[in-house]
Amino acid sequence: MDEAAPNLTELTFEDALRQLEAVVKQLESGDVPLDESIDLYERGEALRKHCQARLDAAQARIQKIVTDASGKPVRTEEFGSDG
């Protein structure tokens, strides 16, 4: 399994998500021996954490543009703020 498992830091979010989906399909098939299932589960958990970290980083970069009454942009705020 490890020969086809690139370093997580080299994966884009989309590639990691595709790999995670493949891991889930393999585990759900029930055709994988126990030891390989454990390895797949561990890989899946690492992929899930990588995807979550990428999503968290993207969310932190998103800013909301605040406009005045005329629609002119006046400032930006962090994503999710109510101001």
Side-chain angles (χ1 to χ4, degrees):
M1 161 111 192
D2 288 339
E3 65 276 356
N7 185 338
L8 287 178
T9 60
E10 297 172 6
L11 292 176
T12 65
F13 172 81
E14 293 79 9
D15 289 340
L17 187 58
R18 276 190 285 277
Q19 284 189 22
L20 179 56
E21 289 170 344
V23 165
V24 170
K25 283 182 185 178
Q26 282 185 277
L27 289 172
E28 287 179 341
S29 75
D31 295 333
V32 181
L34 179 60
D35 288 341
E36 189 176 338
S37 292
I38 292 169
D39 291 341
L40 280 169
Y41 179 84
E42 290 172 346
R43 177 68 177 170
E45 182 60 17
L47 287 162
R48 184 199 65 77
K49 287 179 180 178
H50 175 72
C51 287
Q52 187 63 55
R54 298 294 296 256
L55 286 173
D56 291 345
Q59 184 175 3
R61 292 176 50 198
I62 296 172
Q63 293 186 336
K64 178 174 70 172
I65 298 173
V66 179
T67 58
D68 63 15
S70 68
K72 179 181 172 186
V74 291
R75 68 179 187 279
T76 60
E77 295 178 350
E78 287 187 32
F79 178 79
S81 67
D82 292 331

